[in-house]
Amino acid sequence: MSTLQFLADGFATAFQWHNLLFAFIGVVIGTAVGVLPGIGPMSGVALLIPVTATMTSGMPTTAAAASSIILLAGVYYGAMYGGSTTSILLNTPGESSSVVTTLDGYQMARQGRAGAALAIAAIGSFFAGIVSLIGLVLLAEPLSNVAIKFGPAEYFSLMLLGLAAVSGLAGKSMTKALMMTVFGLMLGTIGIDAVSGIARFTYNQPILFSGLEFLTIAVGLFALGEVFKTVLERDEEGGAIAKINRILPTKQDMKDSTVPIVRGSLLGFFIGVLPGAGATLASFFSYMTEKKFSKRPETFGKGNIAGVAGPESANNAASGGAMIPLLTLGIPGSGTTAILMGALIMYNIQPGPLLFDEHPEVAWGLIASMFIGNLMLLALNMPLVRVFAKVIQTPKKYLLPIIVAISFFGVYAVQYTTFDLYLLLVCGVLGYLLAKNDYPVAPLVLALVLGPMIENNMRRALTISNGDFSIFVTKPLSLVFIIAAAAWLLIPLLLKMKGKAVIVEEEG
């Protein structure tokens, strides 16, 4: 079957009425998640996994997985759209990839051009979404065909690269990021060992034999952690919301934005494909590129529309690009894609090269639904800008109890154990303490998802080589991945030693 035929089948899946509804719910919630400062796509996606599991409980496994991932992906790329709203109107980024948008977006709002800034952000996001999806369609099949030829040694090294990429660029301190990675790997070893059948770190507690549930830890660390932070630090948003007058951009605005949108989309897509780089790095690079190419670089930071168009296009293209390593190689390049991967594994569907052969309706259904979701987002964001501006003003006293209720009901509905509720609370407190002390949580989640797979592939490779570790460096592709992983950790370290700041806070 050709790629076009697969895509047509994907659209047949995506156009089923319940999947259209799931995509719509996903992008609406995603936009709201992006708009509300502090929640972020990672928390939003983690919070909704148990909700989708409950909503799809009566469906066959593959159909349930397709519907769930359509909704969760909608939250992911919807949050990228929504994050610009608070950046422009309040000078408060909804999530970390929108930090750069505040520089010129808020200045435009102060000049009475908030509507134009929001409209350009929506148009740029839509164009970038389509560019990244075309790239996904073109690259998905060839990449997965290459990856099928991978053996356990190559897989081990590739997953090590994914882990090193996120750890090397997360947070302010590389040491803290690596500590969190090791902590995540340790948590991943709890339970009955699949090879030897020996119980590890279970302390004779039967509840621990199956290991710690990824869902409980993700919801606790992100969603509840954010609640504790808001309550204990009494986060009060200051600042008045800028008024929105004219929504449609002028012809001059469109002229000034076209090239930055195209450039940002292409740059963001290629950065998104790299494991660990993510939307934050993409928007940062795009802003620097636009300033470099501009004939009037001194206007950046004072309300230049290119400073909104480029980064907003880049962060949306990066979220689409990040789907490529997740779907084709089974390597989540960021915290949010790690959570999406965990959601698929919950349905016994393994992302990676065989996904397109074994579960084409899930893979192609998701890709097709992202086309539809981007259209929905454009249709929603242009006319409903004023409505989403009102969402920003939702008082915390209403918002926090809803998040807590969804967290507890959702986890209990999936797990049916009080142990998981206690674990959820512990993870919530832990999430708050880690964030307060600048320990990035994304590497922990990624290590928890990848840890068991890294271990299994390492043991399989060592079984093939009779315990000879040189198998990891004698296989050419495996050696390339190991060198790339080492470079990803060493280059930021060398730059820091030279006094250069290298900080990428991934999609918090």
Side-chain angles (χ1 to χ4, degrees):
M1 279 172 81
S2 68
T3 302
L4 283 175
Q5 182 58 54
F6 277 124
L7 192 58
D9 292 346
F11 274 106
T13 302
F15 274 119
Q16 290 171 4
W17 72 267
H18 58 275
N19 285 339
L20 284 173
L21 181 64
F22 274 68
F24 181 74
I25 293 169
V27 296
V28 170
I29 293 174
T31 307
V33 160
V35 163
L36 293 165
I39 297 183
M42 272 201 280
S43 307
V45 173
L47 196 59
L48 284 170
I49 292 175
V51 178
T52 57
T54 311
M55 287 166 76
T56 58
S57 57
M59 297 163 71
T61 307
T62 307
S67 298
S68 292
I69 206 72
I70 282 170
L71 191 150
L72 296 171
V75 175
Y76 178 31
Y77 57 85
M80 294 296 165
Y81 269 73
S84 60
T85 308
T86 42
S87 297
I88 291 164
L89 297 181
L90 265 184
N91 203 24
T92 309
E95 22 80 38
S96 60
S97 58
S98 294
V99 170
V100 181
T101 312
T102 58
L103 301 176
D104 284 279
Y106 185 61
Q107 293 303 320
M108 284 182 70
R110 289 179 67 186
Q111 294 160 17
R113 296 164 65 211
L118 288 165
I120 285 297
I123 292 164
S125 297
F126 172 74
F127 181 80
I130 298 304
V131 165
S132 66
L133 282 166
I134 291 167
L136 184 54
V137 169
L138 295 175
L139 289 176
E141 201 69 14
L143 256 181
S144 57
N145 288 339
V146 170
I148 284 171
K149 298 182 176 71
F150 284 10
E154 286 86 356
Y155 257 117
F156 167 79
S157 307
L158 181 65
M159 286 169 184
L160 213 57
L161 168 61
L163 212 52
V166 172
S167 306
L169 289 173
K172 296 186 177 107
S173 161
M174 196 167 164
T175 313
K176 287 180 176 178
L178 289 171
M179 283 167 68
M180 297 308 291
T181 305
V182 172
F183 185 39
L185 289 171
M186 286 164 67
L187 290 179
T189 59
I190 295 171
I192 300 282
D193 177 20
V195 178
S196 64
I198 294 169
R200 300 187 295 188
F201 307 110
T202 57
Y203 306 102
N204 294 324
Q205 298 295 320
I207 195 86
L208 291 174
F209 286 172
S210 58
L212 296 179
E213 180 55 46
F214 155 81
L215 165 70
T216 311
I217 290 176
V219 174
L221 288 174
F222 295 113
L224 272 195
E226 200 57 53
V227 169
F228 282 124
K229 178 175 181 280
T230 308
V231 171
L232 294 171
E233 297 186 3
R234 298 196 179 279
D235 270 3
E236 293 296 332
E237 282 96 58
I241 293 177
K243 289 195 78 163
I244 302 168
N245 301 318
R246 175 196 167 103
I247 287 178
L248 289 174
T250 60
K251 279 185 180 175
Q252 187 60 42
D253 287 337
M254 290 303 296
K255 191 180 168 189
D256 292 343
S257 306
T258 305
V259 175
I261 285 173
V262 173
R263 203 158 33 210
S265 300
L266 295 170
L267 187 71
F269 173 72
F270 288 111
I271 290 175
V273 172
L274 297 172
T280 311
L281 197 65
S283 58
F284 177 69
F285 266 119
S286 172
Y287 190 83
M288 291 199 306
T289 307
E290 291 315 315
K291 197 170 179 180
K292 197 176 175 74
F293 280 103
S294 175
K295 290 174 182 169
R296 295 179 299 126
E298 70 283 354
T299 60
F300 277 77
K302 296 175 184 170
N304 190 322
I305 201 160
V308 174
E312 276 303 307
S313 305
N315 72 29
N316 276 270
S319 66
M323 289 301 212
I324 290 180
L326 173 71
L327 296 176
T328 58
L329 304 173
I331 296 294
S334 69
T336 313
T337 46
I339 292 169
L340 288 173
M341 182 171 177
L344 279 171
I345 292 169
M346 269 176 59
Y347 291 98
N348 290 325
I349 288 174
Q350 178 65 54
L354 295 174
L355 178 68
F356 288 85
D357 287 341
E358 292 175 357
H359 304 285
E361 64 273 47
V362 175
W364 291 104
L366 170 63
I367 292 169
S369 80
M370 287 170 77
F371 275 104
I372 298 163
N374 271 286
L375 279 169
M376 287 176 176
L377 278 166
L378 188 66
L380 279 171
N381 274 272
M382 295 292 279
L384 296 182
V385 156
R386 289 188 175 92
V387 176
F388 285 119
K390 289 273 181 251
V391 172
I392 301 169
Q393 295 166 298
T394 306
K396 288 283 192 314
K397 62 182 178 184
Y398 301 128
L399 191 64
L400 297 182
I402 292 169
I403 294 173
V404 172
I406 292 172
S407 301
F408 276 87
F409 286 129
V411 166
Y412 191 73
V414 175
Q415 291 306 113
Y416 298 116
T417 64
T418 48
F419 168 77
D420 276 273
L421 297 182
Y422 289 123
L423 181 61
L424 182 68
L425 265 178
V426 169
C427 288
V429 174
L430 194 63
Y432 163 67
L433 292 173
L434 291 171
K436 186 176 168 62
N437 293 291
D438 284 326
Y439 284 88
V441 186
L444 188 154
V445 174
L446 195 61
L448 187 66
V449 172
L450 288 184
M453 293 151 68
I454 289 175
E455 186 186 8
N456 289 341
N457 280 297
M458 184 177 89
R459 288 165 101 167
R460 282 171 57 210
L462 290 174
T463 305
I464 292 166
S465 68
N466 288 325
D468 184 1
F469 278 88
S470 67
I471 187 171
F472 299 112
V473 289
T474 50
K475 299 251 181 186
L477 256 179
S478 176
L479 180 62
V480 168
F481 292 144
I482 285 174
I483 292 169
W488 220 289
L489 291 175
L490 291 172
I491 289 169
L493 201 63
L494 292 170
L495 288 172
K496 280 183 182 178
M497 284 167 71
K498 285 186 173 180
K500 293 182 180 177
V502 186
I503 298 171
V504 179
E505 191 63 74
E506 180 56 54
E507 297 160 15

